[in-house]
Amino acid sequence: MTLLVEKELYHLVNNLSETYFNKPFQHDVRYNHRLRTTGGRYIPAKRLIELNPKYATEMDENEFIGIIKHELCHYHLHIEGKGYKHRDKDFRKLLKETGSPRHCSPLPSEKKDYRYRYTCKKCNRAYNRRRRVDVKKYRCGKCHGELVFKEKREA
């Protein structure tokens, strides 16, 4: 999916709002290029939905539409004065009714690979880490066995 211009993005959000919520979307929506770990967010004070543009370009259309539906759940519940936060019963109920996802999938570009591999002497559990670990200081989280350095991969 390509990045939509502001008018197209607003029309997409409004169409999804009318389709799934039977209510119009009457406020602002825009891309926020600074979002990294989330697909979007709703800002209640501004009644603004911000979307991560990487999800529009890197992921499939269904993932992006799911993010918009999730943010619309926050939006409509806030407008109605109901519980719009993740922990609220109203929010979880509306997510189910509209088929919106609770969380978005991680971006392929943000997936980090490991460089160092350690194993436990006792239970042979493997630990992959991006940074080096002091094997004298840390132990296995499962059996408290001693960790042994196995390999270093080149990045």
Side-chain angles (χ1 to χ4, degrees):
M1 185 173 172
T2 58
L3 265 157
L4 303 170
V5 268
E6 277 188 44
K7 282 185 179 179
E8 291 174 333
L9 182 62
Y10 177 81
H11 287 298
L12 173 64
V13 172
N14 191 40
N15 288 342
L16 290 171
S17 180
E18 288 175 350
T19 303
Y20 291 97
F21 300 90
N22 299 318
K23 298 169 192 164
F25 177 73
Q26 298 174 332
H27 291 88
D28 292 331
V29 60
R30 66 174 170 221
Y31 289 115
N32 183 344
H33 295 272
R34 288 171 291 143
L35 294 177
R36 294 183 64 192
T37 58
T38 184
R41 67 180 176 183
Y42 171 62
I43 303 171
K46 298 178 182 177
R47 295 189 174 180
L48 168 70
I49 292 177
E50 292 184 333
L51 300 168
N52 187 338
K54 287 184 179 181
Y55 277 87
T57 55
E58 291 182 28
M59 303 294 270
D60 66 334
E61 192 175 352
N62 293 332
E63 181 77 23
F64 190 60
I65 287 172
I67 292 166
I68 294 171
K69 284 170 34 180
H70 177 98
E71 300 310 324
L72 282 170
C73 288
H74 288 295
Y75 170 78
H76 286 297
L77 289 169
H78 176 252
I79 298 293
E80 294 169 9
K82 295 180 181 176
Y84 64 92
K85 295 180 180 174
H86 285 116
R87 66 178 175 265
D88 294 326
K89 198 174 185 179
D90 293 330
F91 180 73
R92 289 195 308 257
K93 183 180 172 201
L94 190 58
L95 280 180
K96 278 186 181 176
E97 288 173 4
T98 58
S100 305
R102 186 138 161 81
H103 304 285
C104 56
S105 306
L107 283 166
S109 62
E110 293 291 320
K111 187 175 183 285
K112 293 179 172 63
D113 209 11
Y114 71 92
R115 287 186 63 190
Y116 301 94
R117 180 179 211 110
Y118 300 88
T119 56
C120 174
K121 274 187 177 178
K122 269 190 188 175
C123 66
N124 287 328
R125 183 176 178 153
Y127 291 91
N128 299 324
R129 295 290 178 261
R130 288 191 57 77
R131 293 183 177 186
R132 285 191 310 193
V133 172
D134 184 359
V135 293
K136 294 174 191 157
K137 187 176 177 184
Y138 293 98
R139 297 290 199 142
C140 174
K142 187 177 178 185
C143 70
H144 301 288
E146 195 176 327
L147 295 179
V148 180
F149 176 75
K150 278 292 180 193
E151 67 174 309
K152 179 182 178 183
R153 295 173 54 187
E154 295 303 317

